[in-house]
Amino acid sequence: MTRERLAQCVGCSVSALRKIEDDERRSSRPLAERLAACLVIAPADRPTFLSVARADLRAERLPPPADSW
């Protein structure tokens, strides 16, 4: 999915998405929830996704995926 399409799906600007990706800005909870929906994050994975999206949990601190090699 392109950044433009994702921005349209969640209802924010491309610039806002870039700032979130670059850790210049933290997403709001509603925006993080819309991101999860647009990215089709599985319900079981949403709490972790929301914690990382809101910067409550650093992605580097996550365990490797269960299906990793």
Side-chain angles (χ1 to χ4, degrees):
M1 177 181 300
T2 66
R3 198 179 274 137
E4 289 78 12
R5 177 124 167 100
L6 182 58
Q8 183 179 29
C9 182
V10 299
C12 74
S13 68
V14 172
S15 174
L17 283 181
R18 278 195 193 107
K19 288 178 181 180
I20 291 167
E21 289 172 349
D22 293 340
D23 288 329
E24 294 175 17
R25 188 172 177 188
R26 191 173 98 177
S27 74
S28 66
R29 181 153 185 99
L31 179 61
E33 290 171 350
R34 291 193 307 268
L35 282 166
C38 290
L39 294 170
V40 193
I41 303 296
D45 296 329
R46 284 191 185 202
T48 300
F49 177 86
L50 295 175
S51 291
V52 172
R54 297 273 302 132
D56 297 330
L57 176 64
R58 301 283 304 167
E60 299 85 27
R61 309 256 343 195
L62 294 173
D67 60 351
S68 68
W69 301 60

